[in-house]
Amino acid sequence: MEFLKKLVPGFVREDFFRKLIALAFAILVYMMVSNKIGKESLIPDIHVSVKLPPSLVMIDEASCKVDVKIRSSEKRLSELVAGDIKIEAKVDESLYVQNKPYTLTLRLSDVKAPFGVTVLEIQPRSFQLAIDKLMTRNVPVKVSFAPGGTPPEGYIVEKVTFSPPEVAVSGPGRMVSSLEFVSTAPIPLDKSTTETFDYTIPILNSNKNYLTITPQEILAQVEIVKKSNSQLFRAVPLQVLTGPEGKNFKVELVSTPHIDVTLSGSKAALDTMKKEELKAYVDISGFNEPGLYSVNASCSTTRQDVHIESIYPIQIQIKLTKIN
């Protein structure tokens, strides 16, 4: 203690705390005065951090920049770096009107500057924001295949089934409501693809800044089948199948005595198929009374390498007349 007394002059030790307070005030006054008479500077393109309520979302943040005029000592200004000045403003949901721009007005108190820096002005003081209601809806998924990728000749993609078949898309209402579908990333196919397969595939999102998709990946089942050709056989004559009672009726094919039959199968099988190998008929064995009836036409063949795809017309008008 005696050592400190010798080291610190007596005039300093006397009434020490009062002198310490006076020194602090002197430093504060110096800083305030130097700040008042300091140099002004305009800091351009300060990003405004906009705080939104949970029910709203920003569409475009390009306009969220302002210039800030400040005053400080020349030394302090030379030490400022990007990011030292921050601006944060809140959107008042009660002032939001749907489908109209929101005018955000900044206050000087919204600007956070380092100690010793005074904020003088914000340019512009207010600007418009593109804001929309947050919307979430389920959107169907559309398949996308890699360019040039196809199964080998004779095989086709019959269908693609997704699990889940829809994904949830969240974002600005005007974007989400106009979205008809989302696409998968390209699914690869090549000449060795001859069987049905499952593939986990991401969902493409070209608006990641505004839209979120859940889930981001889905399971796709790609069904590969052999390609089948088809061929139309026109005017195949109709036969009438009757039961025991049918012998007592005269049968008249009112609408048409012929039908058109479409067959499917390999090209080689269809090339050798003849119309005479088709048996087209109507069955009236269930009718016991005379009258005008509508019955379905049928067709069969003994060939195992072709399949009957369709018959036209399928319904045939017949007239049964009692034979005396």
Side-chain angles (χ1 to χ4, degrees):
M1 185 64 71
E2 291 297 327
F3 174 75
L4 290 176
K5 288 182 179 180
K6 292 180 181 180
L7 188 63
V8 180
F11 75 91
V12 175
R13 294 198 309 270
E14 292 179 6
D15 206 1
F16 175 76
F17 287 105
R18 183 177 294 179
K19 291 176 180 176
L20 183 62
I21 293 173
L23 178 62
F25 271 110
I27 293 174
L28 182 61
V29 170
Y30 169 78
M31 294 183 66
M32 292 179 63
V33 171
S34 63
N35 190 37
K36 290 290 184 182
I37 62 175
K39 187 177 180 181
E40 293 184 0
S41 178
L42 186 67
I43 310 298
D45 296 333
I46 302 296
H47 176 72
V48 179
S49 177
V50 179
K51 300 301 179 183
L52 296 167
S55 61
L56 298 178
V57 63
M58 187 85 71
I59 297 177
D60 184 10
E61 297 188 19
S63 61
C64 300
K65 289 186 178 181
V66 295
D67 300 337
V68 178
K69 182 183 286 188
I70 60 173
R71 182 195 293 123
S72 188
S73 65
E74 189 169 351
K75 180 176 182 301
R76 190 72 185 90
L77 289 176
S78 66
E79 294 173 347
L80 283 177
V81 296
D84 282 347
I85 297 178
K86 301 181 184 298
I87 306 176
E88 184 176 296
K90 293 182 179 180
V91 169
D92 186 348
E93 188 173 5
S94 64
L95 301 178
Y96 168 73
V97 179
Q98 193 165 4
N99 298 326
K100 289 188 178 181
Y102 178 91
T103 300
L104 181 67
T105 301
L106 299 176
R107 300 169 297 179
L108 294 181
S109 59
D110 294 329
V111 184
K112 308 302 178 186
F115 183 73
V117 177
T118 301
V119 178
L120 302 176
E121 189 179 347
I122 304 172
Q123 302 173 354
R125 194 66 175 267
S126 62
F127 52 89
Q128 291 186 331
L129 298 176
I131 295 176
D132 201 356
K133 284 283 188 182
L134 180 65
M135 175 187 286
T136 300
R137 62 182 281 257
N138 290 336
V139 178
V141 179
K142 183 178 180 181
V143 68
S144 173
F145 290 105
T150 57
E153 186 176 354
Y155 290 85
I156 60 170
V157 177
E158 179 72 8
K159 66 177 180 178
V160 179
T161 305
F162 295 113
S163 180
E166 295 181 326
V167 294
V169 181
S170 299
R174 67 191 71 176
M175 288 186 179
V176 175
S177 61
S178 63
L179 204 60
E180 296 181 2
F181 60 86
V182 293
S183 296
T184 66
I187 297 177
L189 291 175
D190 56 38
K191 298 302 181 182
S192 65
T193 310
T194 59
E195 295 181 350
T196 297
F197 64 94
D198 293 341
Y199 196 82
T200 300
I201 191 74
I203 300 296
L204 296 179
N205 186 357
S206 58
N207 287 305
K208 290 183 178 179
N209 292 336
Y210 306 109
L211 300 179
T212 58
I213 298 177
T214 307
Q216 297 180 0
E217 291 185 340
I218 61 173
L219 180 66
Q221 184 180 73
V222 184
E223 186 175 341
I224 306 294
V225 298
K226 282 188 175 182
K227 183 179 180 181
S228 179
N229 295 310
S230 62
Q231 185 171 330
L232 176 64
F233 290 81
R234 295 186 180 276
V236 179
L238 279 169
Q239 301 178 32
V240 178
L241 300 183
T242 63
E245 297 292 333
K247 296 179 181 179
N248 300 323
F249 292 108
K250 175 185 176 183
V251 182
E252 181 182 354
L253 299 173
V254 177
S255 56
T256 177
H258 303 90
I259 59 172
D260 295 339
V261 180
T262 301
L263 300 182
S264 63
S266 66
K267 185 176 184 302
L270 292 174
D271 286 345
T272 60
M273 185 71 188
K274 297 179 180 179
K275 185 191 298 187
E276 290 75 17
E277 295 178 273
L278 294 172
K279 181 182 179 182
Y281 59 91
V282 290
D283 186 356
I284 65 167
S285 60
F287 298 103
N288 299 317
E289 298 292 336
L292 189 64
Y293 298 96
S294 178
V295 295
N296 287 341
S298 300
C299 187
S300 63
T301 180
T302 58
R303 293 277 294 265
Q304 300 297 316
D305 52 355
V306 296
H307 301 279
I308 297 172
E309 278 193 357
S310 64
I311 296 172
Y312 182 83
I314 190 66
Q315 287 197 330
I316 306 297
Q317 298 292 323
I318 63 170
K319 183 179 180 181
L320 302 183
T321 306
K322 191 75 172 179
I323 299 176
N324 296 325

